[in-house]
Amino acid sequence: MTVTEDRAAPEAPAAEVGKARRRKEDARLITGRTTWTDNLVLPGMLHLAVVRSPVAHAKLRGVDVAAAQEAPGVIAVLTGRDLAEEQGSIPCAWPVTPDMVNPGHPSVAVEEVNHVGEAVAVIVARSKAAAQDAVELVDVDYEQLPAVLDMEEAIAQDPSLCHDHLDSNQSFHFVFDGGEAGTGSDTEQAFADAEVVVSRRFVQQRLIPAFMEPRSVVVQPQGDNYTVWSSTQIPHILRVMLAMVTAIPEHKLRVIAPDVGGGFGGKLQVTPEEVISLLVARRLGKPVKWTETRSESLMTAHHGRDQIQYIDIAADREGNVKGLRCRILADMGAYLRLISPGIPVLGAFMFNGIYKFPAYRFECRGIFTNKVPTDAYRGAGRPEATFAVERIMDELAVELDMDPLELRRKNWIKAEEFPFTTVAGMTYDSGDYDTATQEALRLVGYDELRAEQRRRRESGDPVQLGIGFSTFTEMCGLAPSRVLGSLSYGAGGWEHASIRMLPTGKVEVVTGSTPHGQGHETAWSQLVADRLGVPFEDVEVLHGDTAISSRGLDTYGSRSLVVGGVAVVNAADKVVAKARRVAAHLLEASEDDLEFTGGKFSVRGTPGSDLGIQEIALATFAAHNFPEGVEPSIDADATYDPENFSFPHGTHICAMEVDTETGMAKIRKYACVDDIGTIVNPLIVEGQVHGGLAQGIAQALYEEAVYDADGNLTTGTFVDYLIPSAADLPHFDTGNTVHSAPGNPIGAKGVGEAGCIASTPAVVNAALDAVRHLGVSDIRMPLTPERVWRAIHEGGDGGSRASARTNAQAVDAAEAPAASSQAGNP
């Protein structure tokens, strides 16, 4: 890993921060010798299985459970009508406009089903096998209705309705209109005056998070108290939401997220099955477990992405950008889940990317369809935005006959211009796009690749070479509570931590940030070891249990280190401050005369007079000789709410080989240089980048959730939904520049989503660069061999230019039942 030092880096990395330590968690996680939710076996535990709709849209005329109730081992069969008075509605915590339409989402359907896989009944049995067998015995009478599956058709004139009780298929219409601060620039005027306007229609296909561990829930009733174990990213939020949905008092609920086998946003959710399990346990007074099959997971867990993007860019002939206009159709699926409407809106503030657009307009319509709901998936709105701007910059470069990298350099924010407030209202904190790009060019061997590309074209080689760029930034650390409040988000963004100094000198760190593979236990131990001067091995990190970590807002949006980690550091600093007072008393010195280094307090100018913080922990426990008026504790809590997001950035370069005879597209070389601020653990960072790259590349080349004309998911197994293995991916050449985030004491920016955000457009731009000279201007993702071959041999814009005109006009002409909402800068 190459590291270019910050010109104004604060101080050299301490003993632990910056060290590539192996993760404390890995031994138990890799071997599986840990507590996954499905490992739990409680005395008298019952098992649940869900009866699911085989049709996308239908009235429920009857649910006959008589045969299932008589099946061996079955304890109860419950329908939506049985649960109607107590099940409430699955919550949506992000009403992005005041007039947003939310149809309501019962955990078990009562009157109507709105997507294949929706729950219509639940079986409770003594064994998992008995419950699954009884599913086949439930007889449901469906009155089938037309299924709404296409977003553009859904808002055309007189469409079929996804929900019969609504007036349209539109949930919300969100508008952001920005101009250069103080200039009064008008977006439409910018386009009217532009010398060049390029318009494109891009499709962000529907993806499935496909986490390694399927969802699982166990609920144990204890009188009127309930313990809920769930494979979730959000135990604290889940507790609040379950209390609201079921009317069980929050203090009667304990939520535990044991070790969680991945999430990628797919477990940032309050699921119907979590509500169902709690309701069944309450009704029967028995512990219950539900664990999904992989097919259930693919079919019913929320999906991600699924946008149609109409993107217009305005520029002059020299390549100076003048305006950006984005009109987005975002598929919500059949219902609004926890933050479904907020995902495309979050992206609204990043479509301008790293470029100095003087005028910008973003417009998004959330559309209901009879598909599984969409919600957060790694990157959550930012990959969609980055794809659009990086693709349209390449298209503008082609129109102007400019080098795509030269065009980017002409328009990106210069290092000396930070902090920089963008046209979308974000204040980017620090960075240097040029330095990161120069290092990425070196790593990829750019000049040699361009020379090889020329040779292949001149020789008519059937395997052509293309080079694609993605120069990106993202808003990380989903946190500033005031900003989230201005966007109508239903919670704050602070994070909490506690540090407990044990009498033996060991340290317990309690964090509200809940890991599901990120390495919190290792990174937090490194932070605390340095701050307190204690051995790394002496730090234990506790998390994921609302009875132990009572306060927290959990893990998503690359917020763990830049919010949760800062809370940990602040708590550690408070421990030192408390210990200083005790040390001064024990050393018979003034606090002002004490120095604290390497975990020890010493009296300035008095050699040999020192006292370790671990010794102070024991002295505090005994309290035999303690300062008057000071309570015997040096433990500390901290809650941190940042003032701004953090903004990591980077340059990703992909070299692609495209076989023009077969359509096979293969990555020849991939290099990326990311700036994520201070690096706590390079080994963890490398793993996060590699994992993100795998998912971003998978969107470009492999993954797509496909529905047939009746609304059936045809990619409901890993036979059809293609996830790349290590054998399908290239070697990655990675590096880092380091420009510390000025807004937090760690100087970190976040890394969990960077690879996923940046890689997709780099791969697509590279593939197009390989075959654009053959008349290809667009290929819809994923770039399967068939799609690439057809683009080459059947005339290659894939209809994107014509569609950009025709469909954009259809969107403009559509009657919008929900009034437009104007959003100001956050």
Side-chain angles (χ1 to χ4, degrees):
M1 176 177 286
T2 304
V3 178
T4 303
E5 291 297 334
D6 192 344
R7 294 164 304 185
E11 57 185 32
E16 283 295 336
V17 170
K19 185 179 291 185
R21 275 195 175 273
R22 291 188 177 184
R23 302 193 314 178
K24 288 183 174 183
E25 307 90 321
D26 281 350
R28 70 175 192 269
L29 293 175
I30 292 171
T31 61
R33 295 177 180 177
T34 187
T35 303
W36 313 107
T37 303
D38 192 44
N39 292 130
L40 293 169
V41 179
L42 304 178
M45 187 170 68
L46 303 175
H47 295 262
L48 307 185
V50 180
V51 182
R52 300 190 181 277
S53 171
V55 297
H57 194 197
K59 295 286 187 185
L60 287 178
R61 291 307 180 195
V63 182
D64 185 352
V65 301
Q69 286 176 326
E70 298 301 319
V74 171
I75 302 299
V77 184
L78 301 171
T79 68
R81 292 188 186 279
D82 296 326
L83 298 170
E85 297 302 315
E86 56 183 312
Q87 69 175 326
S89 179
I90 298 298
C92 174
W94 204 334
V96 294
T97 64
D99 53 3
M100 185 185 81
V101 176
N102 185 350
H105 183 189
S107 296
V108 183
V110 179
E111 303 285 350
E112 183 175 297
V113 293
N114 290 290
H115 66 82
V116 170
E118 185 167 359
V120 295
V122 58
I123 309 289
V124 188
R126 297 189 186 280
S127 70
K128 185 175 182 179
Q132 290 175 329
D133 287 346
V135 165
E136 303 299 325
L137 301 176
V138 176
D139 185 17
V140 185
D141 183 8
Y142 297 98
E143 180 187 323
Q144 204 155 339
L145 300 170
V148 177
L149 302 170
D150 183 281
M151 282 191 285
E152 290 168 328
E153 292 178 1
I155 59 171
Q157 198 166 8
D158 299 323
S160 299
L161 293 176
C162 179
H163 295 276
D164 284 355
H165 67 283
L166 301 182
D167 295 328
S168 80
N169 294 314
Q170 182 169 294
S171 173
F172 63 86
H173 182 199
F174 178 94
V175 177
F176 179 96
D177 211 339
E180 194 168 38
T183 67
S185 297
D186 178 81
T187 306
E188 294 310 311
Q189 191 61 48
F191 275 85
D193 295 341
E195 295 175 328
V196 177
V197 173
V198 176
S199 300
R200 292 291 184 270
R201 175 184 181 270
F202 301 133
V203 175
Q204 281 277 317
Q205 78 270 36
R206 180 174 280 244
L207 301 177
I208 302 176
F211 26 74
M212 185 179 294
E213 178 200 15
R215 296 173 299 157
S216 185
V217 187
V218 173
V219 181
Q220 182 176 41
Q222 297 158 305
D224 60 352
N225 291 274
Y226 302 88
T227 300
V228 179
W229 290 266
S230 181
S231 177
T232 182
Q233 298 175 218
I234 52 167
H236 298 89
I237 294 173
L238 178 60
R239 182 190 190 208
V240 173
M241 293 300 178
L242 286 176
M244 290 181 172
V245 170
T246 65
I248 296 173
E250 185 182 350
H251 64 286
K252 299 291 186 180
L253 286 169
R254 176 186 182 186
V255 176
I256 301 172
D259 278 330
V260 175
F264 311 121
K267 294 175 182 172
L268 169 54
Q269 195 54 260
V270 179
T271 68
E273 294 83 6
E274 286 164 330
V275 175
I276 292 168
S277 298
L278 181 55
L279 294 178
V280 171
R282 179 171 68 175
R283 179 175 286 229
L284 300 181
K286 298 281 189 181
V288 302
K289 177 193 283 188
W290 172 81
T291 301
E292 68 183 351
T293 65
R294 181 59 68 182
S295 293
E296 277 185 299
S297 181
L298 295 173
M299 180 173 61
T300 67
H302 77 245
H303 294 172
R305 310 288 191 260
D306 208 348
Q307 293 184 2
I308 299 174
Q309 305 172 324
Y310 311 104
I311 309 298
D312 309 317
I313 190 169
D316 62 23
R317 286 288 174 192
E318 286 69 47
N320 299 295
V321 295
K322 300 298 183 182
L324 183 68
R325 193 165 52 198
C326 308
R327 287 170 290 176
I328 309 301
L329 297 182
D331 194 337
M332 298 292 99
Y335 300 108
L336 300 182
R337 287 283 183 91
L338 189 62
I339 54 174
S340 301
I343 299 305
V345 168
L346 190 64
F349 304 101
M350 298 308 301
F351 270 81
N352 52 288
I354 65 173
Y355 307 111
K356 296 183 286 188
F357 286 99
Y360 167 62
R361 177 180 170 87
F362 173 90
E363 181 178 354
C364 178
R365 297 175 189 268
I367 308 299
F368 291 121
T369 63
N370 293 117
K371 302 177 189 175
V372 171
T374 59
D375 208 302
Y377 174 57
R378 195 172 191 171
R382 288 102 77 206
E384 298 92 318
T386 299
F387 181 86
V389 71
E390 288 304 290
R391 283 286 295 109
I392 201 67
M393 288 298 284
D394 259 33
E395 295 302 304
L396 178 61
V398 171
E399 185 71 24
L400 296 172
D401 196 23
M402 278 184 75
D403 179 271
L405 191 53
E406 179 188 346
L407 177 67
R408 287 169 167 81
R409 279 200 176 102
K410 182 182 281 284
N411 290 287
W412 67 38
I413 302 158
K414 304 298 188 291
E416 61 273 14
E417 295 176 308
F418 288 98
F420 185 92
T421 300
T422 73
V423 71
M426 295 282 101
T427 299
Y428 294 176
D429 49 13
S430 66
D432 185 343
Y433 306 139
D434 192 64
T435 299
T437 301
Q438 288 299 329
E439 178 63 8
L441 291 170
R442 185 191 69 79
L443 285 176
V444 84
Y446 179 69
D447 291 338
E448 293 84 353
L449 286 171
R450 281 295 186 205
E452 182 182 346
Q453 181 187 53
R454 286 192 295 271
R455 290 196 299 271
R456 290 194 182 207
R457 288 189 181 178
E458 290 167 359
S459 66
D461 194 322
V463 179
Q464 289 291 298
L465 182 67
I467 304 167
F469 298 96
S470 176
T471 48
F472 84 105
T473 190
E474 58 157 327
M475 53 198 289
C476 269
L478 187 62
S481 295
R482 289 187 179 89
V483 175
L484 294 177
S486 73
L487 295 173
S488 302
Y489 182 65
W494 50 265
E495 195 49 82
H496 184 77
S498 302
I499 293 184
R500 303 197 290 242
M501 297 296 298
L502 305 183
T504 55
K506 309 304 181 185
V507 183
E508 287 182 337
V509 178
V510 182
T511 176
S513 182
T514 304
H516 46 280
Q518 292 88 345
H520 287 37
E521 293 176 31
T522 303
W524 277 213
S525 295
Q526 290 179 271
L527 289 170
V528 170
D530 275 355
R531 222 67 180 191
L532 299 183
V534 300
F536 170 81
E537 294 76 14
D538 285 355
V539 183
E540 185 76 10
V541 179
L542 307 176
H543 55 78
D545 183 340
T546 61
I548 295 172
S549 170
S550 59
R551 299 188 65 207
L553 283 171
D554 307 315
T555 298
Y556 42 86
S558 296
R559 68 189 302 274
S560 291
L561 181 61
V562 297
V563 188
V566 174
V568 168
V569 165
N570 288 349
D573 289 346
K574 288 183 178 181
V575 168
V576 173
K578 286 186 173 184
R580 180 181 294 276
R581 190 168 184 181
V582 180
H585 174 78
L586 296 174
L587 292 170
E588 299 180 344
S590 166
E591 289 184 49
D592 295 336
D593 291 335
L594 294 186
E595 295 177 335
F596 181 71
T597 56
K600 293 185 176 182
F601 290 95
S602 59
V603 181
R604 191 177 293 109
T606 309
S609 61
D610 56 48
L611 193 61
I613 196 167
Q614 291 175 298
E615 297 174 86
I616 294 171
L618 181 58
T620 301
F621 172 72
H624 294 162
N625 181 14
F626 218 67
E628 287 291 332
V630 177
E631 64 179 24
S633 171
I634 58 172
D635 297 348
D637 296 348
T639 301
Y640 176 65
D641 193 350
E643 296 181 1
N644 191 15
F645 300 98
S646 64
F647 295 91
H649 71 82
T651 297
H652 289 226
I653 305 175
C654 178
M656 293 282 292
E657 292 182 334
V658 178
D659 189 326
T660 60
E661 295 177 344
T662 66
M664 178 63 72
K666 180 181 178 182
I667 298 177
R668 159 79 172 278
K669 210 168 183 185
Y670 197 101
C672 62
V673 175
D674 292 298
D675 194 317
I676 60 168
T678 301
I679 296 171
V680 174
N681 186 316
L683 193 61
I684 291 178
V685 166
E686 191 81 347
Q688 288 281 1
V689 171
H690 280 210
L693 292 175
Q695 286 181 276
I697 290 168
Q699 177 174 8
L701 297 180
Y702 301 105
E703 295 185 32
E704 183 177 25
V706 179
Y707 285 85
D708 68 16
D710 295 319
N712 297 299
L713 182 69
T714 62
T715 51
T717 72
F718 285 151
V719 173
D720 303 294
Y721 188 83
L722 302 183
I723 294 178
S725 70
D728 300 305
L729 297 168
H731 169 79
F732 300 125
D733 293 300
T734 65
N736 293 95
T737 59
V738 178
H739 293 80
S740 299
N744 68 69
I746 301 176
K749 296 182 178 181
V751 68
E753 296 164 301
C756 191
I757 290 169
S759 54
T760 308
V763 172
V764 175
N765 282 338
L768 286 170
D769 185 58
V771 296
R772 200 181 286 273
H773 66 291
L774 302 176
V776 178
S777 61
D778 193 29
I779 309 170
R780 180 173 167 173
M781 297 186 293
L783 308 185
T784 63
E786 179 185 1
R787 285 180 177 171
V788 173
W789 187 91
R790 288 187 182 280
I792 294 170
H793 293 275
E794 296 181 2
D797 66 4
S800 65
R801 295 182 191 231
S803 296
R805 289 192 299 271
T806 306
N807 292 313
Q809 289 166 1
V811 172
D812 288 340
E815 288 289 328
S820 299
S821 296
Q822 187 72 29
N825 290 347

